[in-house]
Amino acid sequence: MPAQYGNNGYGNNGYGTNGYGRGNSMNQMSQNREPQKPEEIPVEVTVAKIMERMTPSLELDALQEIAVANVITESIRSQGILMKDDSNQEQKLKEFQALSETTDRKIKEFLNADQIEKYKAMKDDRTSPKKKKRKK
């Protein structure tokens, strides 16, 4: 039997436990790893992005901005709780709808009549399907 195929050549003692250097450490690492969950975006980041659009659009003053941001923060946290709830889809849909209506009502409490109209228009723009511009 040639020496290179023995224990000190390409066998168990030569290039690692399975002949490729690293052995089973890579396989063990991938097996022990749990499936990665998408990283959750902090509520504050989401609220800040919403407020970046909303503040200039509605011409909110500093107090309105704080109050509306607090309402949105509360709403997003409630949405997170609803998402994790084990109730059926129909029930979740009703709860999301109720949460949306409550959030709108609370936001409107801090707005004047002109701002409420702008808020409604902003919501309509967000919910209506976007029309694609045709290239000529």
Side-chain angles (χ1 to χ4, degrees), residues 21-131:
R22 292 190 179 150
N24 288 330
S25 63
M26 292 301 287
N27 291 338
Q28 289 171 349
M29 281 175 49
S30 64
Q31 289 173 356
N32 291 339
R33 203 185 276 173
E34 292 182 26
Q36 286 184 339
K37 296 179 182 175
E39 214 174 290
E40 283 190 34
I41 299 170
V43 173
E44 293 77 17
V45 173
T46 304
V47 172
K49 286 182 180 181
I50 293 169
M51 294 309 295
E52 277 178 24
R53 284 191 324 261
M54 193 178 272
T55 300
S57 298
L58 302 181
E59 300 172 3
L60 299 176
D61 64 32
L63 289 176
Q64 286 175 317
E65 188 175 351
I66 292 167
V68 170
N70 287 337
V71 170
I72 294 172
T73 300
E74 179 186 329
S75 176
I76 291 173
R77 287 197 172 124
S78 296
Q79 287 175 18
I81 292 167
L82 282 177
M83 291 292 284
K84 294 174 184 172
D85 188 18
D86 289 336
S87 61
N88 66 22
Q89 289 299 107
E90 190 175 318
Q91 181 64 30
K92 275 187 185 181
L93 190 60
K94 287 179 184 177
E95 290 175 8
F96 272 110
Q97 186 64 37
L99 179 62
S100 176
E101 290 169 7
T102 303
T103 302
D104 280 352
R105 185 177 35 78
K106 287 180 179 180
I107 288 173
K108 288 176 186 176
E109 289 175 5
F110 298 108
L111 306 178
N112 62 37
D114 186 41
Q115 290 171 321
I116 289 173
E117 290 307 312
K118 290 178 183 177
Y119 178 69
K120 287 179 183 175
M122 197 170 104
K123 279 193 61 165
D124 289 344
D125 287 348
R126 195 178 70 222
T127 56
S128 65
K130 296 185 179 182
K131 296 178 181 175

